[in-house]
Amino acid sequence: MANLTTTFDNKILDHINLVASYTPTTPLKLALVTVAGSAGSAGTEVTGGSYARQTITFASAASGSAANSNTITYAAMPACTVVGVEIWDNAGTPVRLWFGTITSRTFLAGDSFSFAASSVTVSLT
């Protein structure tokens, strides 16, 4: 799951090139989507049940990538099929930072779903 959104790509480039400083508003949140997004547009986020974006934290990068350091659990999911994930900051108007697909997973109403630590990775390459 190493896809940068266009918005985040521009923010990183401006930061590196000393055009504008950027620090995402924390905590970062992991969203589940039923229709995958792209670099320029968000996917269709899961709604219903007790679904809510969950906090994701990362360990320090190594060998060009970083992985989540926490277990991420979604309880009481609605009936849906999840095809991807997105990482958002937590600003008043959140900014989508990363997007990616996962192996499609269908849930029944009330199901729980977890990502183990080190199972969500991001990289700049």
Side-chain angles (χ1 to χ4, degrees), residues 4-22 39 96-97:
L4 289 170
T5 66
T6 304
T7 300
F8 192 39
D9 193 26
N10 291 338
K11 287 182 180 297
I12 290 171
L13 286 169
D14 285 348
H15 185 82
I16 291 169
N17 292 327
L18 306 174
V19 173
S21 180
Y22 177 69
R96 190 172 63 107
L97 309 174

Side-chain angles (χ1 to χ4, degrees), residues 35-94:
V35 175
S38 65
S41 62
T44 302
E45 189 168 0
V46 170
T47 60
S50 292
Y51 171 80
R53 293 177 184 175
Q54 297 298 307
T55 297
I56 183 169
T57 58
F58 287 94
S60 296
S63 301
S65 66
N68 63 306
S69 58
N70 63 320
T71 299
I72 305 158
T73 301
Y74 298 87
M77 291 283 292
C80 65
T81 299
V82 173
V83 300
V85 295
E86 296 180 344
I87 298 173
W88 294 72
D89 75 5
N90 202 34
T93 302

Side-chain angles (χ1 to χ4, degrees), residues 94-106:
V95 175
R96 190 172 63 107
L97 309 174
W98 303 92
F99 71 99
T101 58
I102 61 171
T103 301
S104 177
R105 171 105 187 247
T106 300

